[in-house]
Amino acid sequence: MAITHEAAIRAEGLTRRFGELDAVAGMDLEVEPGEIYGFLGPNGAGKSTLVRMLTTLLAPTAGRAWVGGIDVVDRPGDVRFLIGVALQEAGLDKKMTGREVLATQGRLFGLTRAEIDRRIEELAPILDMPALDRLVGTYSGGMARRLDVAAGLMHNPRVLFLDEPTTGLDPPGRVRVWEEVRRLNEEVGMTLFLTTQYLEEADALADRVGIIDAGKLVAEGTPAELKRSIGVDVITAHIDGDVAAAMKALAGMEGATSIDHYGSEVRVSATNGGRLLSPVALALDRAGVSVRELAMRSPTLDDVFLDVTGHHLEGGAP
């Protein structure tokens, strides 16, 4: 891949090995300044391991990475002052109030008292205002998650890493985080690197999406590009009978861009699914194939994930 030196995040052959397992396997990656990059994959795919390497918390086994043009291994301290981080495991002092956590974070990065007060006021919408003066130990899991995101934003970092930031949040909490992510990107131009297993989140927020599976980057592009890559419409037939017979009946169907099956689900991609729906139903009926359900829809990122990995993204719906 072509690598530019202006990238906000850059990795070349980045690898992290645990024993004989490559949790991240030779990753090449580039994220441009001001971009929201969504890293989509299931639990255990290597998303968090990659983030921990890019944020200087875990040393690579091989390869190199730069954030803001700074090598994460050679100059980790300089990288830490450029970035904000909200990991899956929030490291919050339960004996502090939310306000004290945010103020402490601000002081660590050299903010003045006036700057700290202003930033807390700006970040308050992520939280419920009354919660700011309650002890963190009284917070729900979702509230603690939102406080951790706010803490990562206190010093207005150039690059913000959010590792599954809305996991465990209720819908209103998820919306608050999404709104803040969009605001930071649009108003401040902050670069955001977002890992998620939620298809809707990646589709709604990311300028580009990278799909990771078993430690490897298997697809990359804008959400629209990725969905277009498998056709405009998707017809799914859930087969009760002989899947092989269904595939034979549909083979060579005019207008289909691809025909695949995953277990008992047969999937036909087409540029005009509406025109092909009836011929698919007729072909299966003539072949004597029992169909439990036949439906047509637009492609989703889960279809892309299925196409490039051979399996659905489990837990992919918020």
Side-chain angles (χ1 to χ4, degrees):
M1 63 182 294
I3 299 292
T4 66
H5 292 282
E6 294 78 18
I9 301 169
R10 182 159 59 100
E12 294 179 355
L14 199 62
T15 299
R16 177 64 198 197
R17 187 171 297 114
F18 296 101
E20 296 184 358
L21 172 67
D22 281 348
V24 175
M27 184 78 66
D28 288 341
L29 184 70
E30 183 177 320
V31 179
E32 294 301 319
E35 185 174 25
I36 301 178
Y37 189 92
F39 217 48
L40 180 65
N43 287 331
K47 303 189 302 297
S48 294
T49 300
L50 177 66
V51 167
R52 291 177 69 83
M53 286 191 287
L54 293 175
T55 58
T56 78
L57 298 174
L58 185 66
T61 304
R64 298 185 70 187
W66 299 260
V67 176
I70 301 173
D71 191 295
V72 301
V73 173
D74 293 345
R75 295 166 58 193
D78 292 336
V79 170
R80 289 171 193 154
F81 267 89
L82 291 178
I83 66 174
V85 184
L87 300 177
Q88 289 189 53
E89 307 84 14
L92 302 173
D93 188 335
K94 295 182 179 181
K95 296 182 180 180
M96 285 183 168
T97 66
R99 188 181 301 276
E100 288 169 341
V101 167
L102 296 180
T104 299
Q105 184 78 357
R107 285 194 294 270
L108 288 172
F109 283 92
L111 272 62
T112 66
R113 184 181 295 275
E115 289 170 334
I116 288 171
D117 291 342
R118 177 177 55 80
R119 286 298 291 148
I120 290 176
E121 183 177 348
E122 290 171 348
L123 295 170
I126 296 179
L127 301 159
D128 294 325
M129 281 298 292
L132 278 173
D133 296 305
R134 283 170 34 203
L135 292 177
V136 173
T138 69
Y139 283 18
S140 67
M143 185 68 73
R145 193 80 183 102
R146 298 207 302 271
L147 176 61
D148 195 40
V149 172
L153 292 167
M154 273 298 293
H155 60 296
N156 273 319
R158 282 172 53 186
V159 182
L160 178 64
F161 291 88
L162 298 173
D163 191 14
E164 306 215 16
T166 62
T167 297
L169 296 188
D170 57 13
R174 185 176 296 120
V175 169
R176 287 192 190 104
V177 172
W178 286 15
E179 288 174 347
E180 184 62 14
V181 166
R182 291 192 186 99
R183 187 192 71 79
L184 289 165
N185 182 253
E186 293 171 2
E187 296 180 12
V188 185
M190 187 180 294
T191 304
L192 293 111
F193 189 91
L194 168 79
T195 78
T196 184
Q197 58 179 311
Y198 293 155
L199 301 161
E200 180 187 357
E201 190 159 78
D203 207 350
L205 292 177
D207 298 315
R208 283 192 303 140
V209 173
I211 294 178
I212 185 173
D213 190 46
K216 296 181 179 180
L217 187 66
V218 294
E220 188 180 50
T222 69
E225 288 169 347
L226 290 171
K227 288 182 282 188
R228 278 199 305 269
S229 70
I230 60 170
V232 175
D233 297 311
V234 177
I235 298 169
T236 56
H238 295 272
I239 307 299
D240 277 335
D242 188 345
V243 173
M247 292 294 293
K248 183 177 180 180
L250 297 174
M253 176 163 286
E254 186 176 353
T257 57
S258 68
I259 301 173
D260 305 287
H261 78 90
Y262 304 90
S264 63
E265 178 186 288
V266 173
R267 191 181 69 177
V268 180
S269 298
T271 55
N272 190 332
R275 185 174 296 173
L276 210 59
L277 190 60
S278 291
V280 167
L282 183 60
L284 293 174
D285 183 64
R286 285 175 174 170
V289 175
S290 177
V291 179
R292 183 170 69 256
E293 180 183 355
L294 184 69
M296 185 190 75
R297 54 178 170 73
S298 298
T300 67
L301 288 179
D302 191 40
D303 293 314
V304 179
F305 193 86
L306 181 63
D307 189 65
V308 297
T309 69
H311 56 90
H312 284 286
L313 180 58
E314 295 181 8

